[in-house]
Amino acid sequence: MPPKQQQKQQQSKKSDKPKSQGGKAKKKKWSKGKVRDKLNNLVLFDKATYDKMMKEVPSYKLITPSVVSERLKVRGSLARAALKELLKKGLIKEVVKHHSQVIYTRNPVKEADS
């Protein structure tokens, strides 16, 4: 008679599962949004960064405040001020001036002299 007890146990396991197929769906939870890494850019030039800016930036083909900010890890306002200084010294040439974005390029006259 022991086999009959096993059959009863198997039947009770099957009956434990709920038979409703349609159930209530889980409520959607809102995501917290993507967390962006905080940039730790310089606010003022240190000697090494200033020298790097004076040496490398005039050799870039496309020079914008955003490019300088990204490559030298400086703030955008500092990059704009640095590009104005390079323009005054004649190391770079202005291509387009717009109220929100200024585009510069290298100055071919100064490169030939160097």
Side-chain angles (χ1 to χ4, degrees):
M1 294 282 170
K4 287 184 182 178
Q5 287 177 350
Q6 288 179 350
Q7 287 176 354
K8 285 181 183 179
Q9 287 176 352
Q10 287 176 355
Q11 286 176 354
S12 65
K13 285 181 184 178
K14 289 180 184 176
S15 64
D16 289 343
K17 294 181 182 178
K19 293 185 180 181
S20 61
Q21 293 177 353
K24 208 172 188 182
K26 288 185 178 179
K27 192 173 182 182
K28 185 180 184 295
K29 292 185 178 178
W30 289 93
S31 66
K32 300 284 189 249
K34 293 182 180 176
V35 178
R36 196 165 164 228
D37 293 335
K38 184 157 173 44
L39 297 175
N40 194 10
N41 290 348
L42 297 175
V43 181
L44 296 172
F45 278 119
D46 54 357
K47 181 72 173 145
T49 310
Y50 183 78
D51 292 339
K52 187 176 177 185
M53 186 265 302
M54 293 302 281
K55 183 182 174 189
E56 290 182 9
V57 172
S59 66
Y60 297 163
K61 189 165 188 173
L62 173 74
I63 306 167
T64 62
S66 50
V67 168
V68 174
S69 172
E70 191 174 311
R71 291 189 188 173
L72 298 179
K73 300 286 184 254
V74 296
R75 290 264 172 112
S77 55
L78 186 60
R80 283 195 305 270
L83 291 178
K84 286 177 187 173
E85 183 182 332
L86 289 173
L87 184 65
K88 247 185 234 179
K89 290 183 178 183
L91 296 172
I92 59 176
K93 186 172 80 172
E94 190 176 281
V95 178
V96 176
K97 184 172 175 106
H98 190 261
H99 70 89
S100 60
Q101 185 75 31
V102 186
I103 300 173
Y104 303 95
T105 189
R106 55 185 170 213
N107 199 342
V109 177
K110 288 291 177 186
E111 278 187 17
D113 294 342
S114 298

